[in-house]
Amino acid sequence: MKRIIMLLLVPLILTGCWDKTEIEDRMFIYAIAVNKVEDKKSESDLKPFYEFQNQNLEVTFLVPNPSKIQGGESDVLEEITVSAQDLPEAVGMIRKKQNREPFFGHEKLLILGEKLLRDEESSKEVLDWIDRDPKKNRSAFVVATKDIKELIGVNPKLEKLLPSYITGILKNDTVVATMISVSLNEFLGNIKSSGMAMIPIIKRQKDEIAIKNVALIKDFKYLGELDDRYIRGYSIINNKLDEGKKLFNYKGNIVSYNITSSSAKIKLNEENGRLVFTVDVEMEGDIEDYLINEDILKSDIIRDLQDSISKQFEIELKEVVRHFQEDIGFDYLNLKSWTKKHKYNLFKKYEKNWDEAFRNAKFNFKVKSYIRRVGVIR
């Protein structure tokens, strides 16, 4: 028996990784920035050396320099920029410039330029290749920006690596209600399932990065921007709000309600050929402000505050839905996928004309807000 076991173990011991790449021979890609440049398309598609005449993409790879890291330098990130026809060619071109093998397993960030997103054909080609490439880190964040070169020039004060700095900000979406983060896997999944996706827009403000508004993508093309003010309501309806803050008016006082939890339950019915969504929201939070001439510890004051918060949240949610229905005109609230999962018969009935059904849908909101803690009191 022992001999049999030994014979079985021999292949495992002798087998090696014939195609392995040593770590010192790898070039770790931490971020990729892709944008479209002016068309350089030749007049005739039949000319030789086609790829050298149609380099319409500018691709920047952000790579940490090991020697600078070991030396303790502050600016350790290297930029490798190439012009290419597509991303596979761009990856091939950096192999001509660098002696290390590109490795994407540690990629943290994909930056998409506005010019690329406004070109449906180019955007589709780029995202299609990224989706099919098994080497890509699907948990990397995706962002949009207007000026990639200006963005890459930022030198973070408290972080050596720009990609780590940006992803660190994006992770704050769990406590900042007016901000979202989107992974590559989520972004590509939304594009494939509904043709629509949302990604945060980042830009440079002096020596810092600011996340402002959200880019709306439809059918691989930039549709427009969603203002920050609508993100909190969007997150509440989609059960994506973990924590956050809302200012509300109570008897002339501006009071801060710090949300600690939120839960939304959606119900759907049909009335007279019209979809009717009823959204029940329950949330808990804390009050930290001092209220003049109010004994905030009294139960009747607490109930009055809770009712006021609930009513103002209802007003906000109604305005968020109105904005998506009337101003944007498309279901970025992901209600189509919810309906397919929970009300399949209604989904099949309205599937072919879903955008119209969404615009004509009726929404009812019922919000219950609870105050669990009170901070500053008299």
Side-chain angles (χ1 to χ4, degrees):
M1 184 66 182
K2 291 182 179 180
R3 291 182 179 181
I4 295 175
I5 294 174
M6 289 299 295
L7 288 173
L8 292 174
L9 289 175
V10 166
L12 297 177
I13 297 171
L14 297 179
T15 300
C17 298
W18 63 272
D19 61 344
K20 71 175 181 178
T21 303
E22 298 293 343
I23 190 170
E24 62 267 19
D25 295 328
R26 282 181 170 177
M27 178 173 58
F28 294 92
I29 309 295
Y30 270 31
I32 302 176
V34 189
N35 208 0
K36 191 176 185 295
V37 296
E38 297 298 327
D39 285 336
K40 300 177 183 178
K41 200 167 185 178
S42 61
E43 295 179 1
S44 172
D45 291 340
L46 300 178
K47 288 184 177 181
F49 313 118
Y50 184 81
E51 64 272 15
F52 291 93
Q53 303 167 28
N54 298 274
Q55 297 173 335
N56 298 325
L57 290 184
E58 186 172 80
V59 186
T60 299
F61 301 88
L62 299 182
V63 183
N65 188 325
S67 60
K68 288 186 177 181
I69 295 176
Q70 292 176 0
E73 298 183 34
S74 57
D75 186 11
V76 300
L77 207 62
E78 301 290 353
E79 304 167 22
I80 304 174
T81 301
V82 297
S83 295
Q85 180 183 350
D86 53 28
L87 275 181
E89 184 188 0
V91 174
M93 292 180 72
I94 63 172
R95 286 191 172 99
K96 291 183 178 182
K97 293 186 174 185
Q98 305 298 323
N99 63 327
R100 299 189 178 204
E101 177 67 20
F103 179 74
F104 298 92
H106 292 167
E107 183 183 346
K108 297 176 178 289
L109 191 66
L110 173 63
I111 306 171
L112 302 176
E114 185 178 315
K115 289 182 180 179
L116 173 71
L117 292 173
R118 289 187 180 277
D119 188 297
E120 181 179 346
E121 183 178 346
S122 298
S123 176
K124 187 174 183 179
E125 289 178 358
V126 168
L127 295 178
D128 179 64
W129 182 80
I130 291 174
D131 186 32
R132 290 185 289 105
D133 184 8
K135 298 178 181 179
K136 286 289 180 291
N137 180 10
R138 309 286 289 198
S139 63
F141 289 109
V142 185
V143 296
T145 190
K146 292 184 178 181
D147 194 333
I148 289 178
K149 291 183 178 179
E150 184 182 56
L151 186 72
I152 293 176
V154 173
N155 188 15
K157 297 178 180 178
L158 303 178
E159 179 64 55
K160 289 186 177 182
L161 299 176
L162 179 63
S164 299
Y165 169 58
I166 295 175
T167 55
I169 296 176
L170 291 168
K171 290 176 182 178
N172 288 332
D173 71 321
T174 57
V175 294
V176 180
T178 55
M179 185 174 75
I180 64 170
S181 65
V182 180
S183 70
L184 177 60
N185 193 55
E186 182 182 0
F187 174 62
L188 294 174
N190 289 336
I191 286 288
K192 289 189 292 185
S193 63
S194 66
M196 299 187 294
M198 300 166 57
I199 51 176
I201 299 173
I202 62 175
K203 61 180 181 179
R204 179 174 183 170
Q205 286 188 349
K206 296 182 179 180
D207 294 327
E208 296 178 328
I209 294 293
I211 297 179
K212 178 65 176 175
N213 296 346
V214 170
L216 302 176
I217 312 299
K218 188 176 190 306
D219 299 327
F220 297 95
K221 190 176 181 179
Y222 179 88
L223 180 69
E225 289 187 20
L226 177 70
D227 192 275
D228 285 347
R229 72 183 73 183
Y230 299 104
I231 296 177
R232 179 171 49 212
Y234 158 84
S235 299
I236 290 173
I237 294 172
N238 284 273
N239 276 311
K240 292 184 176 183
L241 183 65
D242 295 319
E243 297 180 39
K245 180 181 293 186
K246 176 177 171 61
L247 299 180
F248 68 97
N249 188 301
Y250 179 74
K251 296 182 179 181
N253 297 307
I254 303 301
V255 182
S256 174
Y257 181 66
N258 294 313
I259 306 165
T260 55
S261 67
S262 174
S263 174
K265 296 181 179 179
I266 302 176
K267 300 176 183 178
L268 175 59
N269 294 301
E270 184 184 24
E271 295 179 3
N272 301 320
R274 184 185 185 189
L275 294 175
V276 179
F277 290 93
T278 300
V279 185
D280 294 325
V281 179
E282 287 193 6
M283 57 179 58
E284 297 183 357
D286 307 328
I287 299 293
E288 296 182 350
D289 299 87
Y290 172 77
L291 299 181
I292 300 175
N293 299 323
E294 297 288 352
D295 189 348
I296 200 171
L297 293 180
K298 289 185 177 179
S299 59
D300 58 333
I301 299 297
I302 292 292
R303 284 193 296 269
D304 199 26
L305 280 166
Q306 290 177 161
D307 290 342
S308 181
I309 294 171
S310 299
K311 289 177 182 178
Q312 291 180 56
F313 261 119
E314 286 183 17
I315 293 173
E316 177 176 329
L317 291 172
K318 288 179 180 178
E319 172 56 22
V320 168
V321 170
R322 185 210 65 78
H323 182 66
F324 279 103
Q325 286 182 300
E326 299 178 12
D327 299 337
I328 296 176
F330 297 103
D331 177 24
Y332 282 90
L333 294 173
N334 301 317
L335 293 172
K336 184 178 181 179
S337 59
W338 183 94
T339 304
K340 182 178 180 180
K341 182 178 181 180
H342 298 279
K343 294 283 186 176
Y344 189 73
N345 290 336
L346 286 177
F347 166 77
K348 292 300 294 182
K349 182 177 181 178
Y350 291 96
E351 180 182 8
K352 294 182 179 179
N353 299 302
W354 182 262
D355 290 334
E356 182 180 355
F358 169 73
R359 288 190 285 265
N360 294 328
K362 180 181 178 182
F363 285 82
N364 299 314
F365 289 97
K366 299 177 182 179
V367 181
K368 291 184 179 180
S369 301
Y370 299 97
I371 297 173
R372 296 307 184 196
R373 294 179 182 84
V374 176
V376 181
I377 61 173
R378 285 187 296 176

